[in-house]
């Protein structure tokens, strides 16, 4: 038994080494990607359902690895979160988003907002927030930015979350709750923060045309959000039938392949000009 235990431990430490080694490699790779500009920001339009106009965009990061090719955010964001590099990556995303929102606001002669994702781990440590610093360094003009946070953060009672969100709001940014309905929070938590938008998770939207329960849930999420003065964005809208049901339920905005997949900045810009003439 002792021998077996020893072997297990040897096996365990070998695994651990491999994991540590892998993590170290991934960290170096992520650092290199930042330095050598292998990240690219894609933009997906968010449509105003009443008018069909492009109302804003969500910024979604892409990694073009020189040897491995395209790596999806679902594959590297968790590693970036684990290694702490998420802060640097998200600072880059934020600066890009601020720059593009200015450029596109000038282009359409109206404020054009860009939504950026902020990972929950970024709220866990008390540290100075580089987004606010960046805005100060820019001279403090109001940014056209919506910060997307996940539902789980709503349940945290730490002043950390409240303080940072208050700073964002004070700087003129808005706040959206991403993937709503997938966590364990409830509508009651929405009242604790000054939330502007609720994004209904794509899993509800996907099944709402076939599953009456999902349609009921979606309809009541929309109704309750509206009662709380919160606008609603449906995610993952892929069919005209889904759009129809969402419009009937009074949903404000929609995002999904029905309108456009996430695309490059230049592609997005031409789409914006043709669909939102200034
Ligand atoms: P998310 O914030 O929920 O973003 C929506 C995801 O749904 C995107 O995946 C988008 O491409 C995809 N999507 C959009 N329309 C449709 C549709 O009609 N059908 C389906 N099936 N999917 C659709 P993507 O770009 O692969 O991003 C995945 C996740 O990675 C994001 O989920 C977000 O959590 C994270 N992520 C992406 N960019 C960033 C970033 O800059 N910072 C952070 N912290 N996370 C990011
Ligand atoms: Ca999002
Ligand atoms: Ca989402
Ligand atoms: Ca998500």
């Amino acid at each position: 038994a002792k021998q077996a235990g020893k072997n297990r431990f040897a096996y365990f430490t070998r695994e651990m080494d491999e994991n540590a080694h892998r993590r170290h490699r991934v960290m170096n790779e992520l650092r290199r990607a930042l330095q050598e500009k292998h990240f690219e920001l894609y933009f997906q339009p968010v449509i105003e359902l009443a008018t069909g106009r492009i109302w804003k965009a969500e910024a979604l990061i892409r990694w073009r690895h020189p040897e491995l090719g395209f790596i999806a955010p679902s594959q590297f964001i968790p590693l970036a979160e684990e290694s702490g590099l998420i802060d640097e990556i998200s600072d880059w995303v934020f600066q890009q988003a601020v720059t593009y929102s200015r450029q596109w606001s000038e282009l359409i002669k109206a404020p054009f907002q860009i939504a950026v994702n902020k990972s929950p781990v970024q709220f866990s440590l008390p540290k100075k927030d580089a987004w606010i610093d960046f805005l100060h360094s820019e001279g403090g003009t109001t940014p056209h930015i919506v910060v997307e946070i996940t539902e789980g953060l709503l349940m945290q009672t730490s002043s950390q979350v409240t303080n940072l969100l208050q700073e964002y709001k004070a700087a003129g940014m808005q706040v959206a709750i991403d993937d709503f309905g997938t966590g364990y929070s409830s509508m009651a938590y929405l009242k604790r923060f000054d939330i502007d938008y609720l994004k209904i998770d794509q899993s509800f939207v996907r099944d709402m045309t076939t599953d009456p329960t999902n349609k009921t849930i979606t309809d009541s999420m929309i109704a309750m959000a509206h009662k709380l003065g919160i606008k609603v964005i449906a995610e993952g809208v892929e069919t005209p039938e889904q759009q129809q049901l969402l419009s009937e339920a009074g949903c404000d905005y929609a995002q999904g392949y029905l309108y456009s997949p996430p695309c490059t900045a230049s592609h997005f810009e031409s789409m914006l000009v043709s669909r939102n003439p200034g």
Side-chain angles (χ1 to χ4, degrees):
K2 210 173 175 186
Q3 188 59 32
K6 201 179 156 200
N7 284 341
R8 254 204 312 276
F9 185 67
Y11 180 72
F12 176 67
T13 47
R14 198 161 52 238
E15 271 240 303
M16 214 164 58
D17 277 354
E18 273 167 17
N19 281 335
H21 181 82
R22 196 177 123 258
R23 239 200 309 278
H24 187 73
R25 235 197 87 183
V26 171
M27 257 182 87
N28 284 338
E29 292 276 338
L30 286 170
R31 274 217 184 83
R32 183 165 75 124
L34 270 168
Q35 280 161 2
E36 298 179 6
K37 304 193 188 344
H38 292 157
F39 291 121
E40 193 177 344
L41 217 47
Y42 269 44
F43 300 90
Q44 186 177 34
V46 178
I47 304 299
E48 186 175 46
L49 280 170
T51 62
R53 280 172 42 123
I54 298 178
W55 169 72
K56 65 165 183 158
E58 179 175 4
L60 294 157
I61 198 170
R62 300 290 180 258
W63 182 4
R64 303 202 175 283
H65 193 285
E67 291 98 41
L68 303 173
F70 171 83
I71 305 173
S74 57
Q75 284 184 280
F76 70 87
I77 293 289
L79 295 165
E81 289 174 343
E82 223 182 288
S83 64
L85 277 174
I86 189 69
D87 285 320
E88 268 178 78
I89 293 172
S90 108
D91 293 348
W92 174 83
V93 169
F94 183 73
Q95 295 181 14
Q96 292 272 309
V98 169
T99 307
Y100 279 113
S101 68
R102 294 228 170 97
Q103 196 174 306
W104 292 337
S105 296
E106 267 178 45
L107 192 71
I108 65 164
K109 299 179 181 67
F112 187 78
Q113 280 183 318
I114 296 181
V116 291
N117 292 283
K118 185 130 192 161
S119 155
V121 304
Q122 298 187 272
F123 289 87
S124 61
L125 287 172
K127 56 180 174 268
K128 208 145 170 15
D129 189 69
W131 290 13
I132 298 290
D133 287 347
F134 174 73
L135 294 175
H136 285 316
S137 76
E138 285 253 291
T141 35
T142 306
H144 308 303
I145 295 290
V146 180
V147 184
E148 295 196 357
I149 59 170
T150 50
E151 191 184 1
L153 276 182
L154 294 179
M155 291 188 284
Q156 284 186 22
T157 45
S158 77
S159 55
Q160 204 65 25
V161 180
T162 332
N163 291 347
L164 197 51
L165 292 183
Q166 262 162 14
E167 268 192 80
Y168 288 163
K169 300 281 304 202
M173 293 190 262
Q174 292 190 303
V175 177
I177 304 300
D178 207 353
D179 305 340
F180 194 79
T182 56
Y184 296 99
S185 84
S186 74
M187 285 281 171
Y189 291 105
L190 291 172
K191 287 193 297 189
R192 301 217 310 227
F193 299 93
D194 190 2
I195 302 298
D196 300 282
Y197 306 102
L198 189 150
K199 299 188 80 173
I200 299 179
D201 189 67
Q202 49 195 52
S203 58
F204 294 100
V205 174
R206 193 189 307 127
D207 298 332
M208 71 182 294
T209 48
T210 50
D211 179 351
T213 310
N214 263 2
K215 173 153 168 34
T216 306
I217 294 171
T218 307
D219 288 358
S220 47
M221 284 200 279
I222 295 168
M224 274 194 277
H226 284 167
K227 283 200 181 110
L228 295 169
I230 298 169
K231 298 275 191 195
V232 182
I233 304 163
E235 292 195 273
V237 179
E238 296 182 353
T239 69
E241 291 74 29
Q242 291 166 341
Q243 175 182 267
Q244 180 64 28
L245 289 180
L246 289 161
S247 289
E248 283 167 13
C251 185
D252 306 281
Y253 310 102
Q255 185 180 350
Y257 297 159
L258 177 64
Y259 314 102
S260 167
C263 54
T264 62
S266 66
H267 185 164
F268 184 84
E269 190 171 306
S270 40
M271 205 156 57
L272 186 63
V273 171
S274 62
R275 293 184 55 175
N276 292 36

